[in-house]
Amino acid sequence: MKKILITGGAGFIGSHVVRRFVNKYPDYEIVNLDKLTYAGNLANLTDIEASPNYRFVKADITDAVEINELFEKENFDAVIHLAAESHVDRSITDPTAFVMTNVIGTVNLLNSAREFWKGDYDKKRFYHVSTDEVYGALGDTGMFTETTGYDPHSPYSASKASSDHFVRAYHDTYGIDVVISNCSNNYGSHHFPEKLIPLAINNIKNGLPVPVYGKGENIRDWLWVEDHARAIDVIFHEAKTGETYNIGGHNEWKNIDLIHLLCKIMDKKLGRAEGESASLITFVTDRAGHDLRYAIDSTKLQEKLNWVPSLQFEEGLEKTVEWYLENEEWLTNVTSGNYQKYYETQYSAR
Ligand code: NAD
Ligand code: DAU
């Protein structure tokens, strides 16, 4: 049986990865390590939390001693590392938290892998989940490929770029088997409502202003989160050691066009008159250092590992809206802060 440590499994993407691995690989033992910051929510995983091949460990990757003890005790076969501070706006107000978790936390995991996997590096795997933001910003044309140079602009992307470099350095220096993927913007269920799409859904639902930074002309490439989890599964199992894969939806949207599409869907789902939701759009001060455009070229992943996105954006966005409207309790618990009690009431007494 393979024992896999998934970090950040209580977050948005991590919970989709944990669910996929727990359900698809009953012969794997999945250990979900998460600090449960504001972004960690164990209610994301209620459907699989009782599975015999799943366990949760509350721990902080910035605590090297705690991480070392866990590696010594558990003898993991692989790590899929998603734990991170993930929100660009928060990185602008508090960069240090991003250095601590994204850089130091990643190095702590690498150090434990180095120490406890010694002599066995070729049988173990360290999979680092990263972002397209490490490549910087594009103008009107072009796409990021795996060979695009790093040029991060925000404290978030600088911290992720640094962690990518450390992962590659531990491969080149110590021979640890690593793989890295750099993905574009994800959307789907269980997304914390500080990010554009879930924030807009929540605000439109409640008749609140929908803040659009600057003129809404920035462009992002959106990918259905379950397609990202499937890509991670394929890359984890099939990529050669030391390889990097870009993951993206080939699905570029100007923010303002995306918000108008979302408003149209919300009008329909909430039985509102056409244009009612769009009247909530409010242009606000732009994000500092706001990258103009991201676009991922995922040809390598499509051609080498046969992965293609499964959902058209309009369909995925409609499914996302439906999920938020059907899961009102999840959303209310997140916005009220009640979700943070889930661990105390459901887990800590176990
Ligand atoms: P998220 O913020 O929803 O979840 C992050 C998780 O990490 C949370 O559960 C949080 O509690 C946990 N965490 C934070 N600090 C920790 C620490 N010190 N120790 C242990 N756990 C800690 O993030 P997400 O959007 O799911 O992103 C997951 C990963 O994917 C990140 O590495 C991010 O950089 C990367 N990524 C995200 C996107 C996206 O669109 N969201 C796109 C590409 C890559
Ligand atoms: O590209 C991958 C990255 O995508 C991930 O690495 C990050 O973890 C993830 O948070 C996401 O970063 P972005 O900054 O692109 O996502 P966000 O949802 O914060 O913003 C998307 C776009 O919408 C961006 O151009 C900023 C804009 N925006 C965002 C918010 C929160 C607004 O116009 N208004 C808002 O209120």
Side-chain angles (χ1 to χ4, degrees):
M1 176 181 278
K2 260 200 172 134
K3 195 190 272 192
I4 303 178
L5 175 68
I6 299 183
T7 71
F12 167 47
I13 302 169
S15 62
H16 285 276
V17 174
V18 165
R19 177 176 301 101
R20 181 177 181 89
F21 273 70
V22 166
N23 287 333
K24 191 173 167 199
Y25 302 108
D27 56 329
Y28 288 4
E29 190 179 338
I30 303 299
V31 179
N32 171 13
L33 179 157
D34 201 295
K35 180 184 173 183
L36 301 182
T37 66
Y38 79 93
N41 183 354
L42 285 172
N44 291 351
L45 290 167
T46 46
D47 54 329
I48 58 98
E49 68 183 11
S51 303
N53 63 337
Y54 171 75
R55 257 187 308 136
F56 175 70
V57 175
K58 188 171 189 291
D60 183 344
I61 59 170
T62 68
D63 185 337
V65 174
E66 194 175 23
I67 296 304
N68 252 349
E69 283 171 3
L70 191 71
F71 268 72
E72 185 170 22
K73 187 169 125 216
E74 299 281 0
N75 191 22
F76 298 117
D77 295 297
V79 174
I80 303 179
H81 175 37
L82 295 108
E85 288 292 342
S86 69
H87 191 35
V88 174
D89 292 330
R90 285 181 190 253
S91 83
I92 294 168
T93 43
D94 180 15
T96 307
F98 286 69
V99 177
M100 291 310 295
T101 288
N102 300 358
V103 185
I104 306 291
T106 301
V107 171
N108 285 341
L109 289 164
L110 288 165
N111 280 338
S112 296
R114 182 184 161 211
E115 182 172 344
F116 293 103
W117 291 356
K118 211 174 278 164
D120 244 356
Y121 288 160
D122 54 337
K123 297 191 200 74
K124 311 279 192 181
R125 171 148 280 193
F126 192 101
Y127 185 141
H128 180 58
V129 176
S130 193
T131 171
D132 61 357
E133 299 200 11
V134 298
Y135 298 124
L138 293 162
D140 292 338
T141 58
M143 289 182 128
F144 299 133
T145 71
E146 287 80 0
T147 55
T148 303
Y150 276 31
D151 182 22
H153 297 142
S154 72
Y156 163 70
S157 54
S159 69
K160 291 297 289 187
S162 172
S163 65
D164 290 11
H165 289 318
F166 272 105
V167 172
R168 290 197 181 95
Y170 274 59
H171 174 69
D172 295 343
T173 309
Y174 308 112
I176 295 178
D177 175 342
V178 306
V179 281
I180 300 182
S181 55
N182 297 85
C183 188
S184 61
N185 286 60
N186 285 215
Y187 72 98
S189 70
H190 304 93
H191 203 179
F192 196 84
E194 64 181 352
K195 309 278 169 64
L196 179 66
I197 291 180
L199 175 99
I201 293 174
N202 189 42
N203 285 16
I204 293 169
K205 180 171 164 277
N206 294 307
L208 297 169
V210 178
V212 173
Y213 298 165
K215 294 183 180 151
E217 283 175 351
N218 302 69
I219 294 173
R220 297 292 181 264
D221 167 10
W222 294 92
L223 179 70
W224 177 241
V225 64
E226 291 178 35
D227 281 335
H228 187 189
R230 183 165 49 85
I232 289 173
D233 181 353
V234 173
I235 295 166
F236 175 74
H237 287 99
E238 295 178 29
K240 291 199 192 106
T241 186
E243 280 206 295
T244 295
Y245 279 90
N246 277 356
I247 311 171
H250 286 277
N251 176 44
E252 291 179 48
W253 282 81
K254 215 178 246 189
N255 290 340
I256 189 65
D257 296 341
L258 185 161
I259 291 297
H260 274 293
L261 173 63
L262 187 62
C263 287
K264 216 166 123 193
I265 296 173
M266 294 288 285
D267 281 344
K268 198 170 81 186
K269 297 284 171 199
L270 296 170
R272 290 182 181 166
E274 207 180 314
E276 204 177 322
S277 299
S279 69
L280 298 166
I281 294 173
T282 309
F283 292 96
V284 299
T285 309
D286 208 353
R287 172 185 280 173
H290 199 170
D291 286 338
L292 177 66
R293 175 174 164 255
Y294 303 143
I296 275 277
D297 180 347
S298 58
T299 307
K300 179 179 173 188
L301 179 59
Q302 304 202 6
E303 290 185 351
K304 282 202 172 180
L305 302 183
N306 269 328
W307 173 94
V308 279
S310 71
L311 269 194
Q312 290 297 317
F313 187 57
E314 285 81 349
E315 188 189 348
L317 198 58
E318 194 160 330
K319 276 171 82 133
T320 304
V321 169
E322 280 163 8
W323 186 84
Y324 279 93
L325 296 180
E326 282 160 15
N327 288 275
E328 191 149 341
E329 198 184 339
W330 183 93
L331 194 54
T332 316
N333 280 337
V334 168
T335 48
S336 69
N338 266 345
Y339 69 109
Q340 286 175 317
K341 294 184 193 141
Y342 192 83
Y343 175 74
E344 309 307 329
T345 55
Q346 304 294 319
Y347 276 79
S348 55
R350 286 180 190 186

